[in-house]
Amino acid sequence: MTSGISNKLQRAFLIAGCILSASPLFSQVEQAFQENKSPTYEETITAYRKLAEAHPMAFLIEYGTTDAGIPLHMLLITKDQDVDPVSLRKRDKRIILINNAIHAGEPCGVDASIKFAQDLLNKKISSAYLDNVIICIIPGYNIGGMQNRNSTTRVNQDGPQEYGFRGNARNFDLNRDFIKADSKNARTFAEIYHTWRPDIFVDTHTTNGADYPYTMTLIPTHPDKIHPLIGTYMRETMLPELYKSMNAAGVLTTPYVNSIRQTPDDGIAGFLDSPRYSTGYTSLFNTIGFITEAHMLKPYNERVMATYTFLVNILKFTSENGQRIGKVRGIAAQEDRERKDFALSWKLDSTRSTPLMFKGYTAGYKPSDVTGKDRLYYDREQPYEKAIPFYDTYRPADKVTAPVAYIIPQAWKEVIDLLKANKVTIQKLTQDMNIPVSAYYVEDYQTVETPFEGHYLHYNIKTRTEAQRIDFKKDDYVVYLNQSKNRFLIEVLEPRATDSYFAWNFFDVILAQKEHFSPYVFEDLAAKYLAEHPDIKQQLDLKKLEDDAFAESPYQQLLWVYRQTPHYEAAHLRYPIFRLDKETTLPVKYE
């Protein structure tokens, strides 16, 4: 908590409040969505400030800063009238964190959360749910995007009249930034998240894609990616109950329509939320996450009320099942401390599906008035309900065994800062040491052709491992994998992981040689080396026989020989974070 609660707010919390609806501004903001309007960022924060002033259970707290130069706010709702997260966690209550306007052009959650908070505090929603649940609401995460209002950029969306922009103040898509944390928003979110350690996380959105009758679709933390005990609980108990309760409340709800082909008729697939996404990030710490995707073509007031209904239902479910949720998360956290094998990437199992009763609109094709070619359309006059395949099983595509520890040279400060931001337990060597470790070498990788969120993202990464002795310095970092954040550490520090720091270009400097050779100078050294190493000469001759292009290139042959000699720099393509694979007593101190 960086800014804390202002003295003004502290005094306000002690004042018995009047009924909030008496405030003209708040009444206007609360009802805005009924008139196809959504409040500005400033109006939103003012509304929450008035809530905190009027209700002793509500506290508006400032955290850190954002790329817009403005702190993030969080509304805390608790019957305990206490703002200390450590004290509150001792009461064994479940914590729900709600995040809004990560894509500021999708403001359903902004309006829904205002209504949710007011109704909860004014007891239009049963306050009994707060006996064992604490609510945390980020009113608007993408502040820069919320301030960049327009009425044109969400061309696929029905209202509201004005809304924010998807990119933040630095034009980052914040729902691709959680693991790399280029934005100040993401760094501050990590502070909020690790301060409150939520059991449940909800990120509110508006969907794109097909047309269908559903007002709400859900992307849950994928059950195959989270701890198996939590995944089983989600599949067998939590998700069926939430879909049932949403539909019973009159809000048609289905899994997110991630079509296998162009339309849903051929089936949909569960969304794989890697750690760049909000729920992929929070699942690394065994938080059960949901992205609500209200359907873009439904009127704005219906989308807001659908989102509101989900917030009410997730509160009700969490309150009624809090002990079970706490138990499975506690077991998962303990087992993650001792777990040895982790998946690094996942692949959809296209051979396995379950039937999903789906309500849709018949899709067809007709000549385009613009291009003259066939265009897709959905005929709302021809609704259907039928079973379609739901592909929702992912298998690990790559695995790794966790080391005892990672050793990180102190030069890689950006990495260390991110580990600290995520509350990882870190220690330092207290003296210079030569330590036997495993070193990765990058053998192959592919890179996107155009920048993706400020990076040339790597993928299909291949590595080999060598046992080496490395000289480490006093104050180099040692990160033991005996903590509840082990999965996070694997995902960011293992180079082959989908959203590893290597994949996001944190270590691109190792991919280029710093020292080279002049062929006319190296010719004689190469000949001498081959004469002294007949096994290397044999490998060279074999490679020339197998590769015609190599055989025709004198430079490539000299380069190959160069890379076998001691003249070739050891650091080229060597990943600079090292694995301690055997239990070793190291002289360390806590950071």
Side-chain angles (χ1 to χ4, degrees):
M1 200 181 302
T2 55
S3 305
I5 305 172
S6 69
N7 291 332
K8 181 179 178 182
L9 282 179
Q10 286 178 350
R11 290 194 299 271
F13 296 152
L14 302 176
I15 300 172
C18 60
I19 298 298
L20 199 66
S21 58
S23 163
L25 176 61
F26 193 87
S27 179
Q28 175 187 349
V29 168
E30 189 215 359
Q31 300 302 325
F33 68 89
Q34 301 289 6
E35 301 174 3
N36 197 31
K37 296 177 182 178
S38 185
T40 66
Y41 176 74
E42 290 74 16
E43 289 171 338
T44 300
I45 295 304
T46 299
Y48 276 98
R49 185 170 289 116
K50 289 181 177 295
L51 262 178
E53 290 171 352
H55 291 277
M57 291 194 301
F59 305 83
L60 190 64
I61 308 171
E62 289 185 357
Y63 286 87
T65 189
T66 64
D67 287 342
I70 299 173
L72 273 183
H73 287 82
M74 190 196 82
L75 184 77
L76 172 67
I77 300 177
T78 174
K79 277 188 172 180
D80 299 280
Q81 300 184 33
D82 185 356
V83 298
D84 179 19
V86 176
S87 172
L88 289 172
R89 277 198 300 273
K90 289 179 180 178
R91 293 171 170 83
D92 193 30
K93 295 190 175 188
R94 303 285 75 77
I95 297 175
I96 299 174
L97 173 61
I98 302 164
N99 189 43
N100 296 305
I102 190 170
H103 294 152
E106 307 171 19
C108 307
V110 174
D111 295 81
S113 290
I114 290 173
K115 178 173 174 54
F116 175 71
Q118 186 188 24
D119 286 357
L120 189 55
L121 291 167
N122 287 336
K123 300 183 180 179
K124 292 181 181 179
I125 301 169
S126 174
S127 62
Y129 295 142
L130 293 175
D131 289 345
N132 57 357
V133 175
I134 294 164
I135 300 293
C136 301
I137 301 172
I138 298 175
Y141 179 52
N142 181 0
I143 298 172
M146 290 185 73
Q147 292 176 328
N148 185 11
R149 285 170 73 87
N150 70 92
S151 58
T152 57
T153 52
R154 293 287 294 182
V155 66
N156 297 328
Q157 185 172 290
D158 183 3
Q161 292 176 10
E162 289 186 345
Y163 39 75
F165 184 66
R166 188 180 185 91
N168 85 328
R170 293 177 59 198
N171 209 34
F172 281 117
D173 183 333
L174 293 177
N175 204 27
R176 310 292 185 272
D177 191 46
F178 283 91
I179 206 70
K180 61 186 176 71
D182 286 329
S183 67
K184 291 180 181 178
N185 303 61
R187 303 288 180 113
T188 302
F189 179 90
E191 180 185 357
I192 293 172
Y193 176 82
H194 291 292
T195 296
W196 291 96
R197 304 179 196 172
D199 300 273
I200 307 293
F201 173 70
V202 180
D203 198 4
T204 61
H205 290 247
T206 301
T207 188
N208 288 307
D211 193 10
Y212 39 76
Y214 297 97
T215 307
M216 177 60 70
T217 67
L218 291 181
I219 302 176
T221 294
H222 200 280
D224 288 335
K225 286 177 65 268
I226 203 166
H227 187 281
L229 186 62
I230 299 176
T232 299
Y233 178 69
M234 290 177 65
R235 273 203 166 107
E236 295 181 356
T237 303
M238 191 173 194
L239 286 168
E241 178 58 33
L242 286 172
Y243 285 118
K244 179 181 177 182
S245 63
M246 288 291 288
N247 285 288
V251 179
L252 284 178
T253 304
T254 196
Y256 179 67
V257 183
N258 184 24
S259 299
I260 292 290
R261 296 186 176 87
Q262 191 168 21
T263 69
D265 303 59
D266 296 312
I268 63 175
F271 187 82
L272 187 67
D273 51 340
S274 71
R276 70 190 65 170
Y277 302 105
S278 62
T279 55
Y281 169 80
T282 59
S283 71
L284 299 182
F285 311 98
N286 291 315
T287 292
I288 302 171
F290 296 91
I291 293 179
T292 60
E293 294 275 4
H295 189 234
M296 60 185 179
L297 297 179
K298 301 298 184 291
Y300 185 60
N301 63 325
E302 292 182 18
R303 302 204 307 269
V304 172
M305 287 307 299
T307 307
Y308 168 88
T309 302
F310 182 80
L311 297 181
V312 174
N313 276 278
I314 195 66
L315 168 62
K316 180 176 184 292
F317 182 91
T318 304
S319 178
E320 293 173 353
N321 299 275
Q323 291 301 312
R324 180 61 178 163
I325 292 170
K327 183 176 181 180
V328 296
R329 289 194 71 239
I331 294 171
Q334 182 55 42
E335 290 186 354
D336 275 356
R337 293 175 179 272
E338 303 162 1
R339 187 172 165 189
K340 299 302 180 186
D341 295 322
F342 293 84
L344 295 178
S345 59
W346 300 82
K347 184 177 180 179
L348 182 67
D349 186 346
S350 60
T351 69
R352 185 173 178 181
S353 68
T354 55
L356 173 70
M357 290 306 297
F358 184 78
K359 300 176 188 291
Y361 297 128
T362 301
Y365 295 86
K366 61 184 178 182
S368 165
D369 292 335
V370 178
T371 68
K373 305 295 185 182
D374 282 350
R375 52 148 292 189
L376 173 69
Y377 73 99
Y378 290 91
D379 188 350
R380 291 191 174 186
E381 299 301 317
Q382 295 189 56
Y384 67 78
E385 182 173 6
K386 65 181 180 182
I388 64 171
F390 183 32
Y391 299 91
D392 196 36
T393 300
Y394 281 87
R395 308 290 187 190
D398 190 10
K399 293 182 179 181
V400 73
T401 299
V404 172
Y406 292 105
I407 304 181
I408 307 174
Q410 57 199 277
W412 300 98
K413 184 176 184 301
E414 184 178 15
V415 171
I416 294 300
D417 286 347
L418 279 176
L419 298 187
K420 290 179 179 178
N422 285 280
K423 309 302 181 188
V424 170
T425 301
I426 299 174
Q427 299 179 67
K428 282 185 174 182
L429 289 173
T430 58
Q431 64 187 53
D432 295 354
M433 286 195 72
N434 180 270
I435 303 173
V437 294
S438 294
Y440 283 124
Y441 281 84
V442 178
E443 292 203 311
D444 195 16
Y445 62 95
Q446 293 175 273
T447 304
V448 297
E449 294 183 358
T450 56
F452 177 69
E453 292 303 312
H455 294 255
Y456 282 89
L457 185 66
H458 302 316
Y459 61 99
N460 289 343
I461 300 159
K462 294 179 173 57
T463 62
R464 62 180 170 84
T465 306
E466 287 189 10
Q468 297 183 349
R469 296 193 71 96
I470 302 292
D471 289 324
F472 293 99
K473 302 296 184 183
K474 178 186 176 183
D475 289 336
D476 284 346
Y477 292 90
V478 180
V479 182
Y480 283 97
L481 273 81
N482 58 358
Q483 48 190 297
S484 61
K485 296 181 173 64
N486 283 355
R487 187 173 167 208
F488 168 80
L489 290 167
I490 291 289
E491 294 271 0
V492 297
L493 299 183
E494 285 293 324
R496 299 196 309 273
T498 301
D499 279 334
S500 70
Y501 291 153
F502 175 81
W504 284 105
N505 310 135
F506 284 44
F507 303 104
D508 275 9
V509 292
I510 72 168
L511 301 179
Q513 283 182 239
K514 300 303 182 286
E515 302 282 5
H516 298 270
F517 64 88
S518 295
Y520 81 95
V521 175
F522 186 62
E523 281 277 359
D524 295 334
L525 288 172
K528 183 174 184 292
Y529 186 81
L530 291 174
E532 293 172 350
H533 297 83
D535 57 326
I536 302 297
K537 176 68 164 60
Q538 185 178 15
Q539 292 177 43
L540 174 65
D541 291 341
L542 181 62
K543 187 169 178 62
K544 285 192 286 185
L545 289 173
E546 294 175 341
D547 188 338
D548 291 341
F550 180 78
E552 292 299 319
S553 174
Y555 179 79
Q556 289 299 321
Q557 293 177 48
L558 283 174
L559 177 61
W560 186 88
V561 175
Y562 175 73
R563 288 181 172 175
Q564 316 309 311
T565 72
H567 303 292
Y568 174 55
E569 63 200 69
H572 182 221
L573 299 176
R574 186 173 68 188
Y575 180 62
I577 294 179
F578 302 90
R579 291 170 52 103
L580 185 69
D581 287 327
K582 296 181 180 179
E583 292 286 351
T584 306
T585 301
L586 299 177
V588 293
K589 63 179 180 181
Y590 284 98
E591 170 70 350

